[in-house]
Amino acid sequence: GLRMIAERVHALARALGAGLRALGFELLTDSVFDTVHARVSETQRQEIVVRALKARINLNTLSSDTLGIALDEVATQDDVED
């Protein structure tokens, strides 16, 4: 039920955070549930937002140097890897 969905989404968010760190991005928090916030340069932010829009992925552009990525029950491992 709900617990299984929450655990799956949380595992995907942790995997996303680990992948972003491996790519050199700074995460704003060490603890996540379903949302990851990363510090980005203005150029990175622009490039990532364009790619995300093409892939129909919604991002939260919190500021010119921060992106928020929220995962939900329909998110998949393939989404995280993109």
Side-chain angles (χ1 to χ4, degrees):
L2 287 177
R3 183 178 181 155
M4 191 167 68
I5 292 169
E7 288 173 351
R8 188 180 69 75
V9 170
H10 178 66
L12 287 174
R14 285 193 341 249
L16 175 60
L20 290 171
R21 276 195 183 108
L23 291 171
F25 290 96
E26 173 193 355
L27 300 187
L28 300 184
T29 61
D30 289 328
S31 176
V32 300
F33 172 65
D34 64 352
T35 304
V36 177
H37 294 99
R39 187 157 327 277
V40 294
S41 70
E42 177 65 28
T43 302
Q44 288 171 321
R45 185 173 83 65
Q46 290 173 357
E47 292 171 0
I48 291 167
V49 168
V50 167
R51 287 183 60 201
L53 288 173
K54 287 180 182 176
R56 303 183 78 154
I57 297 170
N58 291 322
L59 299 176
N60 183 341
T61 53
L62 301 169
S63 68
S64 63
D65 68 345
T66 306
L67 283 178
I69 306 163
L71 302 174
D72 62 15
E73 68 276 3
V74 298
T76 66
Q77 187 66 36
D78 287 341
D79 294 327
V80 169
E81 291 172 3
D82 283 345

